[in-house]
Amino acid sequence: MATPDDSEVLKAPYALQYTYTRSTGPVLGHFFAGLMAGRVLGARTATGRVLVPPAEYDPDTGEAVEALIEVGTAGTVTTWTWVDAPAESAPLSRAFGWALIRLDGADTAMLHAVDAGSPERMATGMRVRARFAAEPRGAITDIVCFDPVEAS
Amino acid sequence: MSIPPTPAGPALEFDPPLSPVMRIDCPVRLDYTIAAGREQSRFLRAMSRGHLLGRRCPECRKVYLPPRGTCPRCGVMTAEDVEVQPRGTITTWCVTNVPYEGQVLELPYVTASVLLDGADLPFYFLIQGLPADQIRMGMRVEAEWADTLGPTLDSIRCFRPSGEPDADPASYAEHV
């Protein structure tokens, strides 16, 4: 009954998959609504700092933030890394840069993808601008990625 | 026009007003490659030939199905393949009445721990062929094999009542 391959260990692919539905809360709820409208909202704290993405509480003091305000859709890369082989779940299917981007008017940086084409086009201090999705659905993916802004 | 006030304080004015997004979907996915291991690979290959292959401990003589390479009670390597019968006794059971994501079976349905004849470890199977409210401990069931067998648990479609009299509780009391 035994066959030559009987000593081999069987292997099979197995995917563990689940979709969580998260409530957003009042601050992120408006942040995502802003993204749907092509605008980026930050949270202003009592000390005047602007957090993007917005938090409900000032991480320095623990106090509730004071207001949601609009910031720019362009900003500056503060640090970055390059992804040569994007994973299935990556925002872009071609090689891209992950970057911390401080949007104009914000005091904190936000992690997002930069579609720079090659790592030679990435630099700390480079200017980038958000590319919004054609069909927004109220999620961080409403910003498809950021595009480099060429110096004029 | 302004967006509704938030606990964050005065809201920014927008025209048209923004309506907050209350929920977002966050898909989580992990892709594994499962290796069955030596003993369970033999077990799965035997299933593709219509056999159930357990593994006996040389010390306590218990037969594990699915087979294990070592006996968790005695801590020694199992040494002997043992064919187990595709019929057995229900030791515990569960009736599922509530629908859930990915559910394919018609509700209500029954799953049960089945102590196969010749095995010392109950195995979880789908039970078909009787109204859910007639399931009981001690009921005798037999395997219904799939039309196409393969190295997978799907080779057994389900277990069905065999028509034999219920088993004596003493025969499975140690395995509940």
mmCIF file of all heavy atoms in Angstrom, chain B residues 10-31:
data_model
loop_
_atom_site.group_PDB
_atom_site.id
_atom_site.type_symbol
_atom_site.label_atom_id
_atom_site.label_comp_id
_atom_site.label_asym_id
_atom_site.label_seq_id
_atom_site.Cartn_x
_atom_site.Cartn_y
_atom_site.Cartn_z
ATOM 1 N N PRO B 10 -14.754 73.056 19.044
ATOM 2 C CA PRO B 10 -15.443 73.682 17.915
ATOM 3 C C PRO B 10 -15.061 73.019 16.597
ATOM 4 O O PRO B 10 -13.892 72.701 16.373
ATOM 5 C CB PRO B 10 -14.929 75.131 17.950
ATOM 6 C CG PRO B 10 -14.331 75.314 19.307
ATOM 7 C CD PRO B 10 -13.884 73.969 19.761
ATOM 8 N N ALA B 11 -16.050 72.755 15.787
ATOM 9 C CA ALA B 11 -15.795 72.065 14.533
ATOM 10 C C ALA B 11 -15.514 73.064 13.421
ATOM 11 O O ALA B 11 -15.983 74.194 13.441
ATOM 12 C CB ALA B 11 -16.993 71.210 14.173
ATOM 13 N N LEU B 12 -14.736 72.600 12.492
ATOM 14 C CA LEU B 12 -14.398 73.428 11.345
ATOM 15 C C LEU B 12 -15.601 73.539 10.418
ATOM 16 O O LEU B 12 -16.345 72.597 10.246
ATOM 17 C CB LEU B 12 -13.226 72.777 10.615
ATOM 18 C CG LEU B 12 -12.610 73.534 9.457
ATOM 19 C CD1 LEU B 12 -11.912 74.778 9.991
ATOM 20 C CD2 LEU B 12 -11.628 72.627 8.750
ATOM 21 N N GLU B 13 -15.781 74.691 9.822
ATOM 22 C CA GLU B 13 -16.920 74.873 8.927
ATOM 23 C C GLU B 13 -16.603 74.358 7.534
ATOM 24 O O GLU B 13 -15.520 74.591 7.003
ATOM 25 C CB GLU B 13 -17.295 76.351 8.861
ATOM 26 C CG GLU B 13 -17.907 76.834 10.161
ATOM 27 C CD GLU B 13 -18.584 78.171 10.012
ATOM 28 O OE1 GLU B 13 -18.423 78.810 8.953
ATOM 29 O OE2 GLU B 13 -19.267 78.564 10.964
ATOM 30 N N PHE B 14 -17.558 73.617 6.986
ATOM 31 C CA PHE B 14 -17.404 73.102 5.637
ATOM 32 C C PHE B 14 -18.671 73.343 4.863
ATOM 33 O O PHE B 14 -19.757 73.365 5.426
ATOM 34 C CB PHE B 14 -17.124 71.587 5.653
ATOM 35 C CG PHE B 14 -15.667 71.270 5.853
ATOM 36 C CD1 PHE B 14 -15.206 70.876 7.092
ATOM 37 C CD2 PHE B 14 -14.774 71.372 4.804
ATOM 38 C CE1 PHE B 14 -13.874 70.582 7.280
ATOM 39 C CE2 PHE B 14 -13.437 71.078 4.990
ATOM 40 C CZ PHE B 14 -12.981 70.677 6.228
ATOM 41 N N ASP B 15 -18.542 73.531 3.584
ATOM 42 C CA ASP B 15 -19.705 73.678 2.721
ATOM 43 C C ASP B 15 -19.458 72.842 1.465
ATOM 44 O O ASP B 15 -18.577 73.189 0.686
ATOM 45 C CB ASP B 15 -19.925 75.153 2.360
ATOM 46 C CG ASP B 15 -21.205 75.343 1.549
ATOM 47 O OD1 ASP B 15 -22.052 74.419 1.590
ATOM 48 O OD2 ASP B 15 -21.334 76.375 0.875
ATOM 49 N N PRO B 16 -20.156 71.765 1.235
ATOM 50 C CA PRO B 16 -21.227 71.223 2.090
ATOM 51 C C PRO B 16 -20.664 70.617 3.362
ATOM 52 O O PRO B 16 -19.477 70.309 3.416
ATOM 53 C CB PRO B 16 -21.854 70.147 1.196
ATOM 54 C CG PRO B 16 -20.753 69.710 0.302
ATOM 55 C CD PRO B 16 -19.908 70.903 0.060
ATOM 56 N N PRO B 17 -21.523 70.458 4.393
ATOM 57 C CA PRO B 17 -21.035 69.947 5.670
ATOM 58 C C PRO B 17 -20.533 68.511 5.558
ATOM 59 O O PRO B 17 -21.000 67.745 4.721
ATOM 60 C CB PRO B 17 -22.258 70.018 6.574
ATOM 61 C CG PRO B 17 -23.426 70.028 5.659
ATOM 62 C CD PRO B 17 -22.978 70.717 4.403
ATOM 63 N N LEU B 18 -19.576 68.172 6.390
ATOM 64 C CA LEU B 18 -19.062 66.804 6.434
ATOM 65 C C LEU B 18 -19.916 65.975 7.375
ATOM 66 O O LEU B 18 -20.315 66.430 8.430
ATOM 67 C CB LEU B 18 -17.623 66.794 6.943
ATOM 68 C CG LEU B 18 -16.561 67.443 6.060
ATOM 69 C CD1 LEU B 18 -15.211 67.331 6.757
ATOM 70 C CD2 LEU B 18 -16.524 66.791 4.703
ATOM 71 N N SER B 19 -20.149 64.767 6.976
ATOM 72 C CA SER B 19 -20.862 63.827 7.838
ATOM 73 C C SER B 19 -19.850 62.776 8.279
ATOM 74 O O SER B 19 -19.240 62.114 7.447
ATOM 75 C CB SER B 19 -22.008 63.237 7.021
ATOM 76 O OG SER B 19 -22.512 62.133 7.641
ATOM 77 N N PRO B 20 -19.625 62.634 9.591
ATOM 78 C CA PRO B 20 -18.520 61.783 10.037
ATOM 79 C C PRO B 20 -18.681 60.319 9.608
ATOM 80 O O PRO B 20 -19.784 59.813 9.539
ATOM 81 C CB PRO B 20 -18.546 61.901 11.562
ATOM 82 C CG PRO B 20 -19.906 62.403 11.888
ATOM 83 C CD PRO B 20 -20.346 63.235 10.723
ATOM 84 N N VAL B 21 -17.577 59.689 9.301
ATOM 85 C CA VAL B 21 -17.557 58.259 8.989
ATOM 86 C C VAL B 21 -17.553 57.513 10.328
ATOM 87 O O VAL B 21 -16.632 57.664 11.120
ATOM 88 C CB VAL B 21 -16.299 57.902 8.164
ATOM 89 C CG1 VAL B 21 -16.205 56.400 7.953
ATOM 90 C CG2 VAL B 21 -16.307 58.644 6.838
ATOM 91 N N MET B 22 -18.604 56.748 10.577
ATOM 92 C CA MET B 22 -18.758 56.125 11.896
ATOM 93 C C MET B 22 -17.943 54.847 12.040
ATOM 94 O O MET B 22 -17.517 54.506 13.130
ATOM 95 C CB MET B 22 -20.235 55.807 12.159
ATOM 96 C CG MET B 22 -21.159 57.002 11.996
ATOM 97 S SD MET B 22 -20.736 58.313 13.153
ATOM 98 C CE MET B 22 -21.355 57.613 14.670
ATOM 99 N N ARG B 23 -17.778 54.110 10.929
ATOM 100 C CA ARG B 23 -17.097 52.807 11.011
ATOM 101 C C ARG B 23 -16.179 52.624 9.813
ATOM 102 O O ARG B 23 -16.464 53.140 8.736
ATOM 103 C CB ARG B 23 -18.129 51.663 11.005
ATOM 104 C CG ARG B 23 -18.960 51.608 12.265
ATOM 105 C CD ARG B 23 -19.994 50.509 12.197
ATOM 106 N NE ARG B 23 -20.804 50.524 13.401
ATOM 107 C CZ ARG B 23 -21.815 51.347 13.610
ATOM 108 N NH1 ARG B 23 -22.180 52.206 12.663
ATOM 109 N NH2 ARG B 23 -22.478 51.324 14.745
ATOM 110 N N ILE B 24 -15.100 51.897 10.049
ATOM 111 C CA ILE B 24 -14.243 51.509 8.931
ATOM 112 C C ILE B 24 -13.989 50.005 9.000
ATOM 113 O O ILE B 24 -13.966 49.416 10.083
ATOM 114 C CB ILE B 24 -12.891 52.272 8.941
ATOM 115 C CG1 ILE B 24 -12.177 52.105 10.280
ATOM 116 C CG2 ILE B 24 -13.091 53.733 8.628
ATOM 117 C CD1 ILE B 24 -10.766 52.641 10.286
ATOM 118 N N ASP B 25 -13.819 49.389 7.842
ATOM 119 C CA ASP B 25 -13.503 47.960 7.773
ATOM 120 C C ASP B 25 -11.995 47.788 7.766
ATOM 121 O O ASP B 25 -11.289 48.446 7.000
ATOM 122 C CB ASP B 25 -14.089 47.339 6.496
ATOM 123 C CG ASP B 25 -15.599 47.199 6.597
ATOM 124 O OD1 ASP B 25 -16.102 47.125 7.734
ATOM 125 O OD2 ASP B 25 -16.264 47.159 5.546
ATOM 126 N N CYS B 26 -11.503 46.933 8.636
ATOM 127 C CA CYS B 26 -10.075 46.659 8.716
ATOM 128 C C CYS B 26 -9.830 45.176 8.458
ATOM 129 O O CYS B 26 -9.916 44.368 9.383
ATOM 130 C CB CYS B 26 -9.533 47.037 10.097
ATOM 131 S SG CYS B 26 -9.734 48.777 10.470
ATOM 132 N N PRO B 27 -9.576 44.797 7.213
ATOM 133 C CA PRO B 27 -9.343 43.382 6.924
ATOM 134 C C PRO B 27 -7.994 42.929 7.464
ATOM 135 O O PRO B 27 -7.006 43.653 7.366
ATOM 136 C CB PRO B 27 -9.386 43.315 5.393
ATOM 137 C CG PRO B 27 -9.161 44.693 4.920
ATOM 138 C CD PRO B 27 -9.500 45.645 6.029
ATOM 139 N N VAL B 28 -7.989 41.761 8.056
ATOM 140 C CA VAL B 28 -6.756 41.151 8.560
ATOM 141 C C VAL B 28 -6.577 39.839 7.832
ATOM 142 O O VAL B 28 -7.524 39.058 7.717
ATOM 143 C CB VAL B 28 -6.850 40.891 10.078
ATOM 144 C CG1 VAL B 28 -5.625 40.139 10.572
ATOM 145 C CG2 VAL B 28 -7.008 42.196 10.828
ATOM 146 N N ARG B 29 -5.398 39.578 7.313
ATOM 147 C CA ARG B 29 -5.166 38.331 6.600
ATOM 148 C C ARG B 29 -3.738 37.849 6.851
ATOM 149 O O ARG B 29 -2.787 38.613 6.738
ATOM 150 C CB ARG B 29 -5.380 38.526 5.097
ATOM 151 C CG ARG B 29 -5.214 37.233 4.305
ATOM 152 C CD ARG B 29 -5.314 37.476 2.803
ATOM 153 N NE ARG B 29 -4.902 36.307 2.080
ATOM 154 C CZ ARG B 29 -5.739 35.428 1.516
ATOM 155 N NH1 ARG B 29 -7.021 35.622 1.610
ATOM 156 N NH2 ARG B 29 -5.285 34.376 0.879
ATOM 157 N N LEU B 30 -3.625 36.592 7.224
ATOM 158 C CA LEU B 30 -2.323 35.967 7.402
ATOM 159 C C LEU B 30 -2.271 34.735 6.519
ATOM 160 O O LEU B 30 -3.180 33.896 6.562
ATOM 161 C CB LEU B 30 -2.114 35.549 8.869
ATOM 162 C CG LEU B 30 -2.030 36.683 9.888
ATOM 163 C CD1 LEU B 30 -2.095 36.131 11.297
ATOM 164 C CD2 LEU B 30 -0.757 37.474 9.687
ATOM 165 N N ASP B 31 -1.243 34.627 5.695
ATOM 166 C CA ASP B 31 -1.096 33.471 4.813
ATOM 167 C C ASP B 31 -0.047 32.521 5.386
ATOM 168 O O ASP B 31 1.095 32.913 5.562
ATOM 169 C CB ASP B 31 -0.704 33.925 3.402
ATOM 170 C CG ASP B 31 -1.884 34.491 2.652
ATOM 171 O OD1 ASP B 31 -2.780 33.706 2.305
ATOM 172 O OD2 ASP B 31 -1.928 35.719 2.442
#
